[in-house]
Amino acid sequence: MVAGLAVTLLVGTLIVLGVVAGDGPGGATADSRASRTPSAPSWPTRAADRLGSLPALRYTGTFTSNGRPVRAVLSVTRSGSAVGTLTLNGERALLVTVDGDTYLRGGPAFWTGPGGAVARPEDFAGRWSKAPVTLLGFDPRELLSPSAIAQAVRDAPAAGSTGYVGDRLVHQVRARQGVYSVTLAEPYELLQVEGASDARFTVTEITDVAPVLTELRRRVTALGGARDPGIRFDHGELTFVNCNENVSGCTLRLPVSLPAGSAGGSAKPVRAVLVATISAEGRTLGSCTGARPVAATGRTVLSCTVTSQGWREWMSRARETPGRHEYTAQARVIGEAVPPERVQELLALVEREASGG
């Protein structure tokens, strides 16, 4: 037993000595240290790190909407908020993107087209309204934000395709959402972006993001009541309430429901807006609007009261004139994408972005 223990200790000593001996000149340690030396990051990693750190990018270019060319000038922040303008047939619209949704404020040209963008352009023209997917054809946050671009570049193969933008040699990064042209040499500048709807933009880096955020706040503040042409409602029967012989006004009531999947694909809260008109003897007597949040059940009852001078005068004459006097009403329901109470929530997202959150 003693001899066996002595052999064990001797073997252990030799093993330790072998490790120590290997640490001298000509030993194995030099090779093992070399194998542990980290390799330089590939160009996609270095380019992605730089592009992802940019506070914002400015884009100038064109895309096609319903077969019509649109010129765009957009400033997009790191996380995908955007402000800018679109120009169609000489008519300009303001644009803002926040929390992944894009809104426009433009004339009828932006709400009509060969295929008919919306049934009633007058319900959306001249006010902030959510841009239909078919109008843009691409998602500014997914295609143009520095963070999304950085991820696309990071996933690119190191031995990808190359090409030219003007006379500058570039890596052509082909991602699901588009093609990004990044200079072959450092500092890896993004020169061009191509995407769906024939979108092609030249790119300028924005180092001072403060003016962009200031304009973003201003436009987001005005989004309360922004309408959404993508929301559809079912409705019940339109009824009159306290109208006969009431000179002061006539109330209209309409039950509505929100079918599953009809809120433009969004689970965000919406309001329903009733727009109603009363007519008699071939002329319009007056109109009214009323809005209510849609309950969790997807149902609500909308109402509004016409108190116009036209109604008061007509009802006064009807009361003084024996006989049958008929009046009719028409109503439609429009969805609101941004209830007024949600504006503060959106502004909080902007402030979080401004603080680097």
Side-chain angles (χ1 to χ4, degrees):
M1 291 178 62
V2 173
L5 181 58
V7 171
T8 302
L9 289 173
L10 180 59
V11 171
T13 302
L14 289 173
I15 292 174
V16 172
L17 289 174
V19 172
V20 173
D23 200 27
T29 302
D31 292 339
S32 64
R33 285 178 179 171
S35 67
R36 291 196 300 267
T37 302
S39 59
S42 62
W43 81 261
T45 299
R46 299 197 303 275
D49 288 345
R50 180 180 182 276
L51 293 172
S53 69
L54 297 175
L57 292 167
R58 180 170 288 113
Y59 298 90
T60 303
T62 60
F63 64 93
T64 301
S65 176
N66 295 318
R68 304 168 297 173
V70 181
R71 180 168 178 78
V73 179
L74 306 173
S75 296
V76 185
T77 66
R78 182 180 299 145
S79 64
S81 297
V83 294
T85 60
L86 305 181
T87 303
L88 170 64
N89 293 334
E91 184 176 324
R92 194 178 75 145
L94 300 180
L95 175 147
V96 61
T97 298
V98 62
D99 197 25
D101 293 321
T102 297
Y103 305 87
L104 297 178
R105 192 177 72 190
F110 288 90
W111 305 101
T112 57
V118 295
R120 299 184 66 96
E122 65 272 21
D123 286 339
F124 307 97
R127 62 189 304 144
W128 284 110
S129 300
K130 189 174 180 180
V133 175
T134 55
L135 196 153
L136 283 178
F138 60 89
D139 180 346
R141 179 169 67 172
E142 183 178 86
L143 178 66
L144 304 177
S145 69
S147 59
I149 294 170
Q151 188 57 55
V153 171
R154 194 179 305 278
D155 294 340
S161 61
T162 60
Y164 284 89
V165 173
D167 60 353
R168 302 187 69 179
L169 190 60
V170 295
H171 295 285
Q172 291 183 329
V173 178
R174 301 182 182 276
R176 174 182 53 82
Q177 65 268 40
V179 180
Y180 302 100
S181 295
V182 180
T183 57
L184 203 67
E186 295 191 65
Y188 300 121
E189 299 171 78
L190 179 65
L191 300 185
Q192 180 176 276
V193 174
E194 299 168 89
S197 299
D198 300 321
R200 176 173 291 187
F201 301 105
T202 57
V203 189
T204 306
E205 295 180 6
I206 298 176
T207 55
D208 182 9
V209 75
V212 176
L213 293 173
T214 296
E215 183 62 18
L216 180 62
R217 292 185 189 97
R218 190 177 72 82
R219 296 188 186 188
V220 169
T221 300
L223 285 181
R227 293 179 173 178
D228 186 349
I231 299 177
R232 299 288 185 269
F233 291 95
D234 291 333
H235 61 81
E237 182 180 358
L238 180 67
T239 57
F240 294 100
V241 179
N242 192 27
C243 295
N244 284 343
E245 300 191 19
N246 184 354
V247 176
S248 61
C250 175
T251 298
L252 299 164
R253 182 174 293 171
L254 182 70
V256 299
S257 60
L258 188 64
S262 62
S266 173
K268 297 169 184 174
V270 299
R271 290 203 312 172
V273 180
L274 173 67
V275 180
T277 302
I278 297 179
S279 302
E281 300 171 359
R283 65 187 181 91
T284 299
L285 301 182
S287 300
C288 63
T289 61
R292 290 193 64 182
V294 177
T297 59
R299 300 176 181 274
T300 193
V301 177
L302 303 173
S303 65
C304 68
T305 303
V306 174
T307 59
S308 64
Q309 181 177 349
W311 168 262
R312 295 194 301 269
E313 291 177 351
W314 183 86
M315 181 54 73
S316 295
R317 290 196 304 270
R319 290 177 61 180
E320 296 170 359
T321 305
R324 181 181 179 87
H325 304 280
E326 293 186 355
Y327 53 95
T328 61
Q330 292 182 328
R332 61 188 184 276
V333 183
I334 307 167
E336 279 189 357
V338 185
E341 60 271 16
R342 189 163 182 261
V343 170
Q344 290 304 314
E345 176 187 337
L346 295 177
L347 285 172
L349 294 178
V350 176
E351 294 309 319
R352 188 181 309 164
E353 184 171 3
S355 63

